[in-house]
Amino acid sequence: MEDDREKIFAAIRRGLRKDQHSDTERDGRSPLNTPLFADFQMRFEKFSDELVKLGGEAYVFSDYQGISDFLLEHITDDAGVFLYDEIREKYDRALSELKSTRAYKLSTDFENGYDKRDVAAFGSAILPCAACIAETGTIVLRNNMRLPAALATRLFVITEPARLIASLDELFTEKFRDAGGSNLFLVTGPSRTADIEKELVTGVHGPKEVYVIFHKE
Amino acid sequence: MTEIEARHFKELYKKQIVNDQLRANLSKATLQAVDSRGESFKEVDFEFLRKQAKMIREESVSHLNQLLSQFEDHARENGCKIFYAETPEKARAYVLDVAMKNNVNLIVKSKSMVTEEIELVPFLSGKGIETVETDLGEYIVQLAKEKPSHITTPAIHKSRTEIAQLFHDKIGTEMNNDPKFLTAEARRVLREKFLSANMGISGANFLIAETGDAVIVENEGNARLSTSSTDIHVVVTGIEKVIPKFSDLRIFMRLLARSSTGQKLTSYVSVLRGPRREEEKDGPREVHIVLVDNGRSSLLGTEHQEVLNCIRCGACLNVCPVYRNIGGHAYGSVYPGPIGSLVTPMYFGEKNAPDLPFASSLCGNCTEVCPVGIEIHHQLLSLRNEIVAAKKSRIERFLFKNYRKTMLRPGRYRMMGRFARMFSKSALVRRMMKQWTDYRDLPEFPSQSFREMYKSGKLN
C-alpha cells in the first residue's frame, strides 16, 4: 500500500519555512533537589525506600544461604519457577535447595522457542537485571526473553551492588543507549492501576510482587 | 469532514452537568490526582524540568522533517516497517491490511489516544477482527460501549458499583464492587486474550530520532504484553511524538508520570527497538510503525504550533474547573479538557467543535501545570478570536464598531450614557437582553453620570 510520506513531508516543509528554530542547548544538570547518593549503602536505602512505597521489597545478602532461605520462604506455591540461565550460573549455590524442592525451568530449556502459555504458567520468575535505579526504585531489564518478567505473579531480581545506579540521569546515557537488543524495560514496583475510583490495586496484568536481592560478597 | 459529537457540545454538557454522581466521581478523582502531583514534584525542580522539556519539544516540532526522517532511517535499520498516513482512513486501511495478510483474528490493544482519534477499534471490529482493549479503564469503557472520558483515566466517570454491574452483565462475574475483585476478574479474562492473540497494537509516548526507539509508559503491564506477546506489533502514533535524543528521556520520564498520576515513574517503561533479534527468544517478529498526520502538519508555522508540544499527560484536565463539573463525555471528543478544547477543533476542524474553545473559564490553571509550558489558556483565547472573526456576525461587528467610536469621542460617550440611563429601566429593553441577563446582572444605571453629579456638587 502506497503511503503518504511525500505529502506529509511537503506539508511539514511548507509550515516550517515560516518558523525555524536553532538547535537547543541541553542543560546537563540533574533536576534532583537533593544531592546524588554517593555510596552503595545510601543508594540502597533510597532504592529500598522507593520500592517499599510502591509495594516491592529490596534486600542485601552477603551469603548464598541467605538468598536461598529468602527464596524458599517467598516461593511457596507449586506453580513453578522460571530461572534465567545467567542467574543459575552465578548463584547456583543459592538455588540448589530451591531446585530440589520446587518445579523450575531454565531459560536455556527454551532454546528452540516456546509457547507463551508455558511461560504464563510460572508463578515466579528469577531474573538478572542491567541496572537498578535508586532515585525511583526501578529495575532495568534487558534480557533475551521478555515475557517471564511480564507474566509471572512474583518477580525476583538478583544482582550485584555495582548495578545500583543513582538516578535516571545515569540511565539515559550512551552506555544504555548502545547496549544492543530489541528492548529496554523499566519496572518500578508491582503492576498497578487506579482506574476504579482512583483506588490503587496491584497486580492488574504484570507481577503482583516484586523483590530485589543484592548479593554483596 | 467526518462529523463528531463535539459539534453538539452545548447539548452534551447540559446533560452531564446535572449528573451529581458523575460530578462526585470526577471531583474525588481529579482532586486526588492534583494532590499526588504536588507531592511528587517536591523532590525535583519542576521549573527546570519544564524549561528543558519546552525547549526540547520546540526543537522537535520545529525540526520535524529532519527528525522524522532520522527516526524513520533508524527504525528501518532496526527492522521496523514505517507507514505514513495523512488521514485516519489511510491509517486504518494499513492496519487492516497487516492483520489480513497475517490471518489475524484477535488483537490485543493497549492505550493509545491516536487509535481513539482514528477510531481504529470499531473499524477493525467491524471487519470481523476481535480487538480487545487491555488497559483496565479502556476495557471498562469498551464493555460499556462508551468512549474514554479522560486522557489517562478513561473510566474516571464510572463508580465502582456501575463497574461491578457492568462486569456482572457482560462477563458474568458475581456482583462485588471491590476494586481488587474487579481488577482480578479483568486480569483473568484479559490474560486469556493475551495468550490467544496474534497481533498487538499500541501507541507510543515518544519516538526517538537518534535510535528509532518507540517509548511506551504505562502502569498495568498490558502494554508490555501487547507489544511482546504476539508475533506482530503495530505502533500507531502521531508524527509529532518524535524527540531528538535518548538522553532527553531523563527530562520527560520525570515529568510525564508526575504530571499524569503523581508518580515518580510509571510502573513500566518500554523502550522498544524493533522486532526480536536472532538471539532473543520472544518478542514480535514484525513491527510496524504507523505515523499519523490528521491535521498536525497544518499547525506548523501557525500561532498554534506549540499545541504540538503536548505530551498527553492529562494534568490540565485534573485542574480544570470546567472539566471537573462536566466530565470528558461532554466534550464529545476523544481529547477532552483544556487541551482537548484546543486539539479537537485543530484536528477535526473548527466546524466540528465551534464551542469547545469557549468551554473554559480562562483561569489559567491549565497553563500553570502544563509540563511542557504550553500557554493553553492563551491558545484558547486566540482560537476564540479566530472563530468569532470567521463568524462575521453583522450585529456584533456593528456593535463593536460603534463601541469603539463611542469610547473615542467624549460627546458621543455622553450622549450614549444618557440613552443608557433612559432605556436601561425599560422592561422592553430588559426583555430584549434576556439572553444576557439570564446569566449575568444588568445593574440599573444611576440617574446622573459622574460628571453631572460632580458639576452639581453632589459629590462634595
Side-chain angles (χ1 to χ4, degrees):
Chain A
M1 189 184 293
E2 189 100 345
D3 76 0
D4 297 324
R5 187 185 190 283
E6 292 319 312
K7 275 194 220 169
I8 292 174
F9 271 76
I12 294 172
R13 278 193 296 271
R14 273 198 305 276
L16 288 181
R17 252 182 236 136
K18 302 170 205 158
D19 189 43
Q20 280 287 357
H21 287 245
S22 57
D23 279 355
T24 305
E25 196 63 47
R26 305 289 193 277
D27 187 334
R29 281 178 299 160
S30 172
L32 293 173
N33 290 330
T34 47
L36 294 177
F37 323 103
D39 62 17
F40 172 72
Q41 195 51 40
M42 286 171 76
R43 286 182 184 187
F44 175 76
E45 278 168 22
K46 174 69 177 164
F47 178 81
S48 177
D49 278 355
E50 293 300 328
L51 191 57
V52 167
K53 272 188 236 165
L54 299 167
E57 294 174 28
Y59 298 89
V60 180
F61 289 109
S62 52
D63 60 333
Y64 290 108
Q65 192 56 47
I67 299 176
S68 176
D69 292 345
F70 179 85
L71 292 173
L72 284 170
E73 191 188 322
H74 286 80
I75 302 174
T76 51
D77 60 11
D78 296 322
V81 182
F82 172 88
L83 257 181
Y84 211 85
D85 206 46
E86 191 185 319
I87 291 287
R88 184 189 62 94
E89 284 163 19
K90 275 191 187 168
Y91 302 102
D92 201 34
R93 276 196 280 164
L95 299 168
S96 55
E97 238 177 301
L98 182 81
K99 287 195 289 182
S100 64
T101 53
R102 309 276 188 271
Y104 74 95
K105 281 263 187 189
L106 293 168
S107 57
T108 43
D109 293 337
F110 299 102
E111 207 57 68
N112 301 315
Y114 65 91
D115 186 309
K116 51 191 172 183
R117 285 181 189 274
D118 296 340
V119 172
F122 291 118
S124 307
I126 309 178
L127 303 160
C129 70
C132 289
I133 308 167
E135 178 189 345
T136 49
T138 301
I139 304 160
V140 182
L141 300 174
R142 191 190 280 280
N143 297 322
N144 66 1
M145 281 181 80
R146 300 182 186 193
L147 289 181
L151 289 170
T153 309
R154 279 173 300 277
L155 174 65
F156 296 86
V157 165
I158 309 181
T159 190
E160 58 260 35
R163 300 227 181 229
L164 181 56
I165 59 176
S167 70
L168 292 167
D169 299 318
E170 286 180 50
L171 176 72
F172 295 115
T173 57
E174 286 174 13
K175 179 184 168 188
F176 288 94
R177 184 193 67 187
D178 303 335
S182 72
N183 63 88
L184 183 73
F185 282 130
L186 277 57
V187 180
T188 308
S191 150
R192 53 169 48 198
T193 183
D195 272 344
I196 302 176
E197 288 191 4
K198 282 285 187 188
E199 187 168 316
L200 186 67
V201 180
T202 55
V204 55
H205 290 294
K208 295 178 182 181
E209 299 168 31
V210 174
Y211 304 97
V212 180
I213 298 166
F214 291 96
H215 179 233
K216 198 175 181 186
E217 285 181 286
Chain B
M1 186 193 297
T2 319
E3 189 172 319
I4 62 165
E5 281 189 331
R7 197 179 279 241
H8 310 292
F9 171 73
K10 281 182 178 168
E11 289 96 74
L12 291 170
Y13 92 77
K14 281 175 188 161
K15 278 185 203 159
Q16 302 292 335
I17 204 165
V18 291
N19 184 340
D20 292 340
Q21 180 65 51
L22 172 78
R23 292 173 67 187
N25 294 351
L26 284 169
S27 189
K28 183 180 168 194
T30 53
L31 291 173
Q32 195 177 322
V34 170
D35 284 348
S36 310
R37 178 190 171 278
E39 192 61 33
S40 71
F41 271 111
K42 283 183 179 167
E43 208 172 73
V44 292
D45 183 344
F46 173 63
E47 285 307 331
F48 172 84
L49 285 169
R50 169 148 72 175
K51 194 176 162 199
Q52 291 292 305
K54 185 179 169 73
M55 278 174 9
I56 297 167
R57 286 302 296 147
E58 278 175 357
E59 178 190 330
S60 307
V61 172
S62 59
H63 290 79
L64 196 54
N65 49 350
Q66 294 159 29
L67 292 174
L68 265 181
S69 182
Q70 205 185 335
F71 170 78
E72 180 189 336
D73 290 347
H74 287 122
R76 283 193 209 280
E77 280 167 24
N78 297 335
C80 300
K81 292 173 181 165
I82 308 290
F83 186 84
Y84 287 89
E86 194 183 22
T87 60
E89 291 78 15
K90 202 76 182 265
R92 292 194 298 246
Y94 181 76
V95 179
L96 177 66
D97 191 47
V98 173
M100 301 286 267
K101 278 182 185 157
N102 290 282
N103 299 317
V104 169
N105 57 4
L106 174 59
I107 297 173
V108 278
K109 185 186 153 291
S110 63
K111 198 166 160 29
S112 149
M113 294 311 294
V114 179
T115 57
E116 298 284 349
E117 180 187 323
I118 66 170
E119 299 187 315
L120 184 60
V121 174
F123 173 77
L124 292 170
S125 301
K127 300 289 177 188
I129 301 170
E130 188 186 358
T131 308
V132 183
E133 296 282 4
T134 59
D135 171 89
L136 178 61
E138 292 278 354
Y139 180 60
I140 292 167
V141 293
Q142 187 179 36
L143 282 181
K145 295 192 167 79
E146 290 175 2
K147 287 185 174 170
S149 64
H150 190 284
I151 288 177
T152 58
T153 324
I156 198 170
H157 58 288
K158 282 203 143 5
S159 70
R160 62 181 71 195
T161 310
E162 290 169 324
I163 296 166
Q165 186 67 52
L166 179 72
F167 276 26
H168 177 70
D169 295 345
K170 301 282 180 168
I171 53 173
T173 60
E174 62 177 85
M175 267 304 286
N176 180 340
N177 68 4
D178 179 3
K180 283 193 184 109
F181 170 82
L182 295 167
T183 304
E185 284 300 298
R187 178 183 171 111
R188 180 181 60 77
V189 173
L190 292 171
R191 177 59 67 96
E192 187 49 41
K193 299 288 182 192
F194 283 121
L195 298 178
S196 309
N198 34 16
M199 182 163 139
I201 297 177
S202 74
N205 296 86
F206 302 100
L207 303 170
I208 303 174
E210 71 171 356
T211 56
D213 296 345
V215 182
I216 302 167
V217 304
E218 50 136 357
N219 278 311
E220 297 182 2
N222 64 310
R224 290 189 79 194
L225 289 170
S226 301
T227 58
S228 299
S229 68
T230 60
D231 272 347
I232 304 147
H233 171 210
V234 181
V235 181
V236 182
T237 192
I239 54 170
E240 83 287 12
K241 293 287 174 71
V242 69
I243 56 171
K245 295 175 183 171
F246 181 77
S247 58
D248 292 333
L249 290 176
R250 80 183 188 98
I251 302 295
F252 292 109
M253 287 301 111
R254 285 179 169 121
L255 276 173
L256 182 54
R258 283 180 169 89
S259 300
S260 176
T261 52
Q263 294 170 276
K264 290 180 183 172
L265 194 62
T266 50
S267 300
Y268 301 105
V269 177
S270 303
V271 183
L272 301 170
R273 195 170 291 180
R276 69 163 83 165
R277 305 289 188 265
E278 219 167 87
E279 68 280 10
E280 292 174 349
K281 293 168 192 167
D282 59 15
R285 292 179 195 280
E286 271 182 40
V287 174
H288 300 257
I289 302 177
V290 183
L291 297 163
V292 180
D293 183 344
N294 196 28
R296 288 160 173 80
S297 59
S298 66
L299 300 182
L300 294 166
T302 70
E303 61 177 310
H304 303 303
Q305 180 171 307
E306 71 164 343
V307 173
L308 294 172
N309 296 347
C310 176
I311 56 170
R312 304 281 187 268
C313 66
C316 58
L317 278 67
N318 296 333
V319 296
C320 177
V322 176
Y323 176 84
R324 207 175 275 162
N325 278 293
I326 62 174
H329 288 154
Y331 291 81
S333 163
V334 299
Y335 298 109
I339 193 67
S341 298
L342 283 174
V343 163
T344 307
M346 290 173 190
Y347 291 177
F348 298 93
E350 282 176 9
K351 280 188 184 161
N352 254 324
D355 301 311
L356 288 194
F358 298 88
S360 165
S361 64
L362 300 179
C363 64
N365 280 352
C366 46
T367 300
E368 204 169 297
V369 296
C370 178
V372 289
I374 303 173
E375 300 270 347
I376 299 175
H377 70 298
H378 288 151
Q379 285 286 343
L380 284 167
L381 198 57
S382 154
L383 206 53
R384 285 181 188 188
N385 191 26
E386 283 173 23
I387 289 170
V388 170
K391 271 185 185 169
K392 290 180 184 165
S393 155
R394 280 189 184 170
I395 296 173
E396 265 185 34
R397 280 170 64 189
F398 170 79
L399 287 174
F400 278 103
K401 197 174 163 185
N402 278 287
Y403 175 77
R404 184 173 177 275
K405 281 182 183 169
T406 304
M407 297 308 280
L408 288 170
R409 294 174 194 164
R412 194 179 172 118
Y413 180 85
R414 281 197 291 277
M415 186 180 75
M416 293 308 285
R418 277 198 290 278
F419 279 132
R421 285 193 293 281
M422 203 181 300
F423 293 111
S424 66
K425 288 175 192 162
S426 148
L428 178 68
V429 169
R430 289 201 166 254
R431 258 205 311 279
M432 281 167 67
M433 296 192 71
K434 195 172 179 301
Q435 271 195 313
W436 175 273
T437 55
D438 267 354
Y439 299 99
R440 304 167 185 88
D441 285 336
L442 182 63
E444 273 191 23
F445 283 69
S447 54
Q448 281 185 303
S449 71
F450 177 84
R451 183 184 285 264
E452 286 164 350
M453 283 189 258
Y454 186 80
K455 269 189 180 169
S456 64
K458 279 184 186 170
L459 294 176
N460 296 330

